[in-house]
Amino acid sequence: MLRWMRLSSTAPEILSRRLLFTLEDSSPLSLIPSHHPSRRTSNRFLDIYQIGNKAAIEKERARLADEMNRGYFADISEMKQHGGKIAAANKIIIPAMAAVKFPGLEVNFTDGRALKLPITSNGNDVDACKSSVPKATLLCLSFRASSQAMVDSWSVPFGEAFNNSEKVQIYEVSFIDSWLLSRNPIKWLLLRVMRKSKHDGRMDMLQRQIVYSFGDHYYFRKEIKILNLLTGYIFLLDSFGRIRWQGFGLAKQEELSSLLSCTSLLLEEK
């Protein structure tokens, strides 16, 4: 019964996020086949001032060639093979000296507030003192509504395990790549719809921060090597914004155990 109540409490958020993804798919781009390169580039345009810029044109050509080499059907094929588990999760924590920094990402809350992730102890985005910086942050990335169940398989048990910790945060980021839906009038309207459908009744677990990132994320994805947009991506970050653990797809029990133990180690680091 308790498990059913948890699932039912998250239903409004899941449905609202699916609505947003559905609206994205119903934009004018939906008339273009999903495997077409222009659909994958999210209705982007080369800025007028860059038309005569040879470097910008070459950069755009390289991007088109890259995206044409990997289409929508490649994502589908991978999902059929492994169900979104494109790689095994880390078994041990990544040493701080070997860890790479998570790239900066602009996100919005449903009330319109903006935030730059990750929140770090050496950044300028912390309004309060450094004591407000989390020692461990779980970032769950979702590019399509189909990956929401994957994200939940990590964030729900993680939140339950660290419910009493003030040094742990969870952010679930939904990416909206559509050029049309990223325009301010529509963007704020969508955030308002999402806010109305948000449910804040979860008192038995660490609160998940639901945020949205609008716009073109091609170079962001390239930086952290995200190819398949149909699966979920899970990152555990330390207080400096470094990636100390990573998982994919649906969580397995042994992977969850690894995530929880690595988080405990982060909380003990000086």
Side-chain angles (χ1 to χ4, degrees), residues 70-86 144-150 227-233 248-250:
R70 176 165 185 103
Y72 173 79
F73 291 114
D75 289 356
I76 290 291
S77 177
E78 281 190 355
M79 291 295 291
K80 289 180 178 179
Q81 290 176 16
H82 47 59
K85 187 67 68 177
I86 60 176
R144 299 292 181 265
S146 57
S147 62
Q148 185 57 48
M150 303 177 190
L227 294 177
N228 195 312
L229 301 185
L230 301 181
T231 191
Y233 295 85
F248 311 87
L250 282 168

Side-chain angles (χ1 to χ4, degrees), residues 14 20 26 29 50 89 110 129 140 176 182-183 209 227-228:
I14 295 174
L20 201 154
S26 64
L29 271 179
Q50 290 185 331
T110 55
C129 60
C140 306
I176 310 301
S182 298
R183 298 303 91 194
Q209 305 287 334
L227 294 177
N228 195 312

Side-chain angles (χ1 to χ4, degrees), residues 47-66:
D47 293 336
I48 258 182
Y49 72 90
Q50 290 185 331
I51 290 179
N53 187 330
K54 290 185 178 181
I57 293 174
E58 288 302 319
K59 188 177 182 180
E60 192 67 14
R61 284 177 178 170
R63 171 173 176 163
L64 278 174
D66 178 43

Side-chain angles (χ1 to χ4, degrees), residues 141-155:
L141 311 186
S142 178
F143 292 86
R144 299 292 181 265
S146 57
S147 62
Q148 185 57 48
M150 303 177 190
V151 166
D152 290 342
S153 70
W154 298 97
S155 61

